[in-house]
Amino acid sequence: MKTLLYVAPLAGALALICAWWLAAWIYQNQTGTDRMQEISSYIREGAMAFLFREYRTIVIFGLAMFIILTFAIGIGTALTFLLGALFSIFAGFFGMRTATSANVRTAAAARNGMQQALKIAFRGGAVMGLCVVGLGVLGVGGLLAALGYENANLLTGFGLGASSIALFGRVGGGIYTKAADVGADLVGKVEAGIPEDDPRNPAVIADNVGDNVGDVAGMGSDLFESYVGSIISAITLAVAMPEVDPLTGSLFPLVLASVGIVASIIAIFMVGGKKVSNPAKALNAGTYVSGAIVAVSSFLLSRWFFGNLSAFLAVAVGLVVGILIGNVTEYYTSGDYKPVRGISKQCETGPATTIIDGLAVGMLSTVWPILLIVAGILASYYSAGLYGISLAAIGMLSTAGVVVAVDAYGPISDNAGGIAEMSNLPHEVRQITDRLDAVGNTTAAIGKGFAIGSAALTALALFVSYSQIAKISSIDLLSPKVVGGLLIGGMLPFLFSALTMKSVGKAAFQMIEEVRRQFRSNSKIMEGTESPDYAKCVDISTAAALKEMVFPGLLAVVSPIATGIVLGVEALGGLLAGSLVTGVLLAIMMSNAGGAWDNAKKYIEEGNHGGKGSDSHKAAVVGDTVGDPFKDTSGPSINILIKLMTIVSVVFLPLFMRL
């Protein structure tokens, strides 16, 4: 059985080899005209410059945490923390390098039809997906093989490193992209009346750069953290719970994740392999095929490892709940269904009713995901106990390779549309990229649904690990300290969201003022005879994002440590419970409301309710602008917040228990 410890590192290596092959294939495709290559170079250089500056800022935090962990917990946890942080950085870096090369090649391929354009965009996203699962399984599996399950507690350091980078990446990238997006939309579309991605808009390059730093690098680090967090929670529970054999319980999630990698690779090579007329169906088919392979494999593995089907049932519950949450998310965020079309109808009466209806849709969209998560928790618990909850989280993320690929495909398609517009390619090309982009908006919303659902299950599994290690059998709601912790925890997602929303607002204010200044001071920009100063707008977003991401990131780390030291272990348990409840609800509401506003705008731009340039369209742009930080900054960052606070609590628990 111990020889299976090496399966996971081998599967991780296989994923990275496939990612390298896909990247090499992408680079073989044409890059289009000189103008297309020029615009693509602006986007790539801006994205990589931001990433390097962001990582330099994060290094300071990483070194500080390394020193604190060394003295407070031990050098072993501190070293695994550094490894987790590095692997998370690598996942975001490699994925974004490929994405910023795939965008121009997608636009070039769209000149000859949809099939090749879809294939390039999806494979560009697949590089990120395979880097996420490959590095995740390689890191966790390699550490377990080297350290043995007896030292599985050191894996929490790896998870802490991944979570820390994910939060800074999501918040920093989210502030960057939305500052640029809001500035480009409000001044360009609403005030100047120019189309989206018009080269006369000074913020247009920053907007396209933001798609990569927020929705590719940030999202990749986010799902890397979710993926490794779910595996680590299962391993720590297997070691902490006497009713689970530690070796078998540790190996099962790693072997299952390895099967998920193989399933994801098969599904990735299926998409784009034949002529497609509906890109959404092609992408969904890949998700379903990989899910089916994992389901069958988990049935066989459960019989082999445990002699029964309890583990299979827990994994199957996670798979089904993940897919259903994705379907619910699609219903509330796709222009094909009633909620988004209802918002677009409200746009006829102005921005106020647009925002009211969008908020209502976001709130309504929490009902079914929460009920599904509750059903998943109960079903997985009754299948395999507390260990089953962690297996359900793994089941939900077992096909993360495909989920991330589909998610990262969206910003690549969006960039391709921007390059097509700025390069004055024929209208038919932009129609193809717009269709790919519209699907990408929905798939991105589905990916966020997966991330939030898995965050709830993973945070709960880590919370169970916390209670097992702390020897807490129940949380006393009559204890004043516990109630205090519960209320503080419930408040933190709101405080965190307020900080990130205000950060976007402040950065967007600077961007709007700069775009207006350029239009006022140089009339040749609107005439199209002189190019605007793109670099200035890129610099504004970069500086604002790096400045504003620090405090929200520190809040997530400091809050549980301060609570554990001042109020004690049980009060910290209350804090984690409170943040889990409000955090999951707020994340779902914000992500889905933002996605719905975005696609309501796109539905109008297709010619409905007056089409582009109409009063309805202007109202929809305002709604989309409000929704931008909802869906791309605050909403997706909250799921990292609740997991980061939980894993910080688990890592620092020995310190709290000594006090």
Side-chain angles (χ1 to χ4, degrees):
M1 184 70 78
K2 281 192 174 182
T3 55
L4 292 175
L5 281 169
Y6 302 100
V7 169
L10 289 173
L14 174 64
L16 295 176
I17 290 169
C18 288
W20 172 82
W21 186 90
L22 288 172
W25 178 86
I26 289 166
Y27 281 108
Q28 292 173 4
N29 286 271
Q30 292 184 354
T31 53
T33 64
D34 290 342
R35 176 63 174 163
M36 293 168 68
Q37 293 172 40
E38 179 188 6
I39 293 166
S40 174
S41 69
Y42 291 153
I43 296 170
R44 183 168 56 255
E45 288 165 12
M48 299 311 296
F50 170 80
L51 210 59
F52 281 120
R53 288 177 64 178
E54 181 183 51
Y55 289 159
R56 283 202 298 270
T57 304
I58 293 173
V59 162
I60 299 170
F61 167 81
L63 291 175
M65 278 297 293
F66 177 80
I67 294 168
I68 292 169
L69 285 168
T70 299
F71 289 100
I73 307 300
I75 187 66
T77 302
L79 289 171
T80 56
F81 165 81
L82 280 186
L83 191 64
L86 284 172
F87 274 38
S88 180
I89 286 172
F90 290 153
F93 177 81
F94 293 137
M96 199 174 78
R97 273 193 69 87
T98 306
T100 52
S101 298
N103 53 16
V104 67
R105 290 167 170 83
T106 300
R111 296 179 299 177
N112 299 317
M114 181 182 291
Q115 183 181 356
Q116 188 69 0
L118 169 65
K119 192 172 182 179
I120 293 171
F122 178 71
R123 288 189 170 185
V127 172
M128 169 64 84
L130 292 175
C131 284
V132 164
V133 296
L135 288 167
V137 168
L138 183 64
V140 178
L143 281 173
L144 193 68
L147 300 171
Y149 68 84
E150 300 87 354
N151 297 303
N153 62 303
L154 296 178
L155 293 177
T156 56
F158 187 90
L160 177 58
S163 295
S164 302
I165 300 305
L167 187 65
F168 283 111
R170 244 326 177 184
V171 172
I175 293 169
Y176 183 109
T177 183
K178 292 305 107 181
D181 201 356
V182 169
D185 280 355
L186 285 185
V187 185
K189 284 185 177 181
V190 177
E191 294 182 9
I194 57 179
E196 186 169 4
D197 295 318
D198 192 298
R200 293 172 293 177
N201 192 329
V204 72
I205 294 295
D207 187 10
N208 281 275
V209 170
D211 290 335
N212 292 287
V213 301
D215 295 336
V216 179
M219 179 274 301
S221 294
D222 179 351
L223 283 169
F224 177 82
E225 178 261 353
S226 297
Y227 187 68
V228 300
S230 65
I231 298 172
I232 289 169
S233 67
I235 293 172
T236 53
L237 269 179
V239 173
M241 296 178 64
E243 59 266 35
V244 180
D245 177 70
L247 178 59
T248 306
S250 300
L251 282 174
F252 181 79
L254 283 171
V255 174
L256 183 65
S258 302
V259 170
I261 286 177
V262 175
S264 296
I265 291 171
I266 292 170
I268 285 166
F269 282 98
M270 278 181 52
V271 175
K274 57 183 180 179
K275 189 172 182 179
V276 293
S277 57
N278 187 333
K281 285 185 178 179
L283 296 174
N284 287 336
T287 304
Y288 293 141
V289 166
S290 59
I293 294 172
V294 169
V296 173
S297 302
S298 65
F299 177 88
L300 299 173
L301 289 171
S302 181
R303 291 290 299 270
W304 180 26
F305 275 75
F306 302 105
N308 55 51
L309 297 179
S310 59
F312 159 71
L313 292 173
V315 171
V317 164
L319 269 171
V320 171
V321 169
I323 291 171
L324 290 177
I325 288 176
N327 288 336
V328 170
T329 305
E330 182 179 9
Y331 174 74
Y332 282 104
T333 58
S334 171
D336 295 333
Y337 300 105
K338 187 176 178 181
V340 168
R341 293 191 177 189
I343 295 172
S344 63
K345 176 68 176 175
Q346 291 289 349
C347 292
E348 294 181 2
T349 52
T353 50
T354 303
I355 292 168
I356 290 168
D357 203 50
L359 286 172
V361 166
M363 292 175 187
L364 277 172
S365 73
T366 64
V367 175
W368 281 109
I370 290 297
L371 292 177
L372 287 167
I373 290 169
V374 170
I377 291 168
L378 294 175
S380 58
Y381 175 78
Y382 287 117
S383 297
L386 294 172
Y387 178 65
I389 296 173
S390 63
L391 292 184
I394 291 174
M396 193 177 286
L397 285 168
S398 57
T399 58
V402 173
V403 172
V404 176
V406 170
D407 206 345
Y409 146 92
I412 293 172
S413 301
D414 193 359
N415 266 204
I419 292 169
E421 183 75 31
M422 286 183 273
S423 304
N424 296 315
L425 295 183
H427 179 64
E428 294 76 16
V429 175
R430 186 65 202 246
Q431 281 185 318
I432 290 173
T433 58
D434 279 352
R435 189 172 177 193
L436 294 175
D437 182 28
V439 173
N441 284 327
T442 303
T443 58
I446 293 171
K448 291 182 180 76
F450 265 84
I452 293 166
S454 65
L457 292 176
T458 302
L460 182 60
L462 288 168
F463 182 54
V464 172
S465 300
Y466 173 86
S467 65
Q468 291 284 317
I469 298 167
K471 295 181 170 54
I472 299 173
S473 58
S474 60
I475 298 291
D476 184 4
L477 291 179
L478 296 178
S479 166
K481 285 187 176 180
V482 171
V483 172
L486 190 73
L487 291 172
I488 292 170
M491 169 272 295
L492 283 172
F494 287 90
L495 173 59
F496 181 83
S497 299
L499 290 170
T500 51
M501 292 280 286
K502 286 183 75 66
S503 295
V504 170
K506 286 188 282 187
F509 180 85
Q510 296 178 53
M511 184 68 70
I512 289 167
E513 288 296 298
E514 173 60 23
V515 174
R516 286 172 175 168
R517 183 196 67 78
Q518 291 197 34
F519 281 149
R520 283 196 308 266
S521 61
N522 190 350
S523 60
K524 293 180 180 178
I525 292 175
M526 285 300 291
E527 294 169 3
T529 57
E530 194 168 306
S531 295
D533 185 356
Y534 299 126
K536 180 65 177 174
C537 292
V538 170
D539 188 62
I540 286 173
S541 268
T542 301
L546 296 177
K547 177 185 175 184
E548 298 291 340
M549 75 177 185
V550 175
F551 184 63
L554 291 176
L555 178 72
V557 176
V558 172
S559 297
I561 295 175
T563 303
I565 292 173
V566 176
L567 297 178
V569 171
E570 289 194 358
L572 180 53
L575 179 142
L576 297 177
S579 65
L580 177 62
V581 171
T582 61
V584 171
L585 283 164
L586 196 58
I588 294 171
M589 188 279 288
M590 296 182 88
S591 293
N592 288 347
W597 275 315
D598 190 358
N599 277 331
K601 177 198 70 175
K602 284 185 165 53
Y603 183 70
I604 290 173
E605 288 175 344
E606 290 171 3
N608 302 292
H609 304 292
K612 289 184 178 181
S614 65
D615 289 341
S616 297
H617 184 231
K618 291 178 180 178
V621 170
V622 173
D624 178 39
T625 304
V626 173
D628 274 337
F630 268 48
K631 68 181 173 66
D632 290 326
T633 309
S634 301
S637 298
I638 293 172
N639 75 75
I640 309 174
L641 172 75
I642 58 179
K643 283 177 293 181
L644 178 56
M645 289 198 298
T646 309
I647 203 158
V648 165
S649 302
V650 173
V651 170
F652 282 90
L653 186 55
L655 173 65
F656 306 148
M657 294 176 72
R658 291 198 301 266
L659 297 175

